[in-house]
């Protein structure tokens, strides 16, 4: 598999980890828009981060990472479902983005929202400043400032591959002494900090774990498939038109020259509705219509 997450566990300490590798889903997202390289890299890192975060949760629903700023990269958003389906998008001003732009120049004074939207239950959102040197540090700072389990991230992307590593301290089980827990936690973090971008992007998971933790007892679990999928559909577009009300939908139809076009910003899919379609929607016949979806 080109796109997967893989969990691992330290048998003798209260630490778990997860790794993510993305290639095909990353390529799908980048193929929809001509992103500048710095934007493509940051979008890949956010995709890897979303996939890592979904792996820490037990829920049925959607996780959304959304960063906003007043800089040249105004919006960066990735969604990952509990079914491990990813999509992402960025909004930017290409003329203001240099070839070596980093997080701070792309998104000065930015904010990152982490939203968990379960199919059942209450929606949760946490917000953190984009004040780290990179996205990985911003996410690590979020967990450090919250009451959640201590968690660290390592994220890299190069426009073709996106990779991520997460380490998380677990509740007390193997280690009951606070000092022992702290020492083992710092030990695994120190070793992970030696990772180079080339190693994280280029090594397979067993090799990477062996290089970092060959002196530890580590269990590597089965790979979990990740894939690109957009949740847009003709039915959802029709529902959006219905929510406008018939009068406003017909006004929009007239303004757009007899054919309403609804574009999906994530995948560039286009859904077309003509006068017959609009009449059919409000007659209660549903969204099946003679107009065809166009790419």
């Amino acid at each position: 598999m080109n796109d997967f997450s893989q969990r691992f566990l330290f048998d003798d300490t209260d630490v778990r980890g997860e790794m993510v590798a993305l290639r095909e889903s990353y390529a799908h997202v980048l193929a929809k828009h001509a992103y500048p390289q710095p934007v493509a890299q940051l979008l890949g890192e956010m995709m890897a981060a979303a996939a890592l975060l979904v792996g820490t949760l037990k829920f049925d629903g959607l996780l959304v990472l959304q960063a906003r700023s007043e800089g040249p990269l105004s919006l960066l958003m990735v969604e990952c479902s509990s079914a491990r389906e990813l999509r992402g998008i960025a909004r930017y001003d290409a003329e203001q983005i240099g070839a070596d732009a980093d997080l701070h120049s792309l998104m000065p004074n930015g904010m990152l929202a982490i939203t968990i939207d379960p199919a059942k239950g209450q929606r949760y959102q946490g917000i953190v400043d984009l004040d780290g040197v990179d996205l990985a540090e911003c996410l690590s700072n979020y967990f450090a400032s919250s009451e959640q389990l201590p968690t660290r991230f390592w994220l890299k992307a190069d426009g073709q591959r996106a990779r991520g590593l997460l380490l998380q301290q677990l509740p007390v089980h193997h280690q009951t002494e606070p000092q022992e827990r702290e020492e083992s936690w710092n030990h695994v973090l120190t070793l992970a900090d030696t990772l180079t971008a080339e190693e994280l992007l280029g090594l397979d998971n067993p090799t990477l774990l062996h290089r970092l933790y060959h002196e530890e007892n580590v269990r590597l679990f089965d790979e979990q498939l990740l894939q690109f999928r957009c949740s847009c559909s003709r039915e959802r577009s029709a529902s959006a038109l219905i929510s406008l009300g018939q009068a406003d939908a017909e006004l929009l139809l007239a303004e757009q020259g007899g054919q309403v076009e609804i574009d999906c910003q994530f995948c560039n899919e286009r859904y077309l509705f003509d006068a017959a379609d609009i009449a059919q929607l409000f007659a209660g016949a549903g969204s099946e219509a003679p107009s065809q979806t166009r790419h």
Side-chain angles (χ1 to χ4, degrees), residues 1 14 65 69 79 113 123 144 148-149 166 187 196 215 217 245 259 273 280:
M1 290 187 290
D14 295 326
L65 292 183
S69 81
E79 297 179 353
R123 186 170 180 264
Q148 301 182 58
L149 294 171
L166 172 149
H187 174 66
T196 65
E215 295 182 354
N217 292 320
Q259 191 171 61
F273 298 84
Q280 192 173 37

Side-chain angles (χ1 to χ4, degrees), residues 5 18 50-51 53-64 79-87 115-120 224-227 229:
S5 62
E18 189 145 354
L53 284 167
V54 161
T56 70
L57 303 171
K58 294 181 180 180
F59 80 118
D60 179 17
L62 190 67
L63 181 140
V64 182
E79 297 179 353
C80 186
S81 71
S82 52
R84 298 175 184 271
E85 295 171 346
L86 286 155
R87 67 178 188 170
T115 305
I116 300 168
D117 192 5
K120 296 180 180 179
Q224 300 291 316
L225 175 68
L226 291 156
Q227 61 183 328
R229 180 165 294 172

Side-chain angles (χ1 to χ4, degrees), residues 194-207:
T194 66
L195 266 179
T196 65
E198 291 75 17
E199 288 173 326
L200 184 56
L201 287 169
L203 296 178
D204 61 72
N205 288 349
T207 302

Side-chain angles (χ1 to χ4, degrees), residues 19 33 45 80 86 128 174 210 226 241 261-262 287 290:
M19 294 174 287
H33 304 275
E45 291 179 11
C80 186
L86 286 155
V128 63
H174 294 291
H210 178 75
L226 291 156
L241 286 174
E261 179 178 306
I262 298 179
S287 60

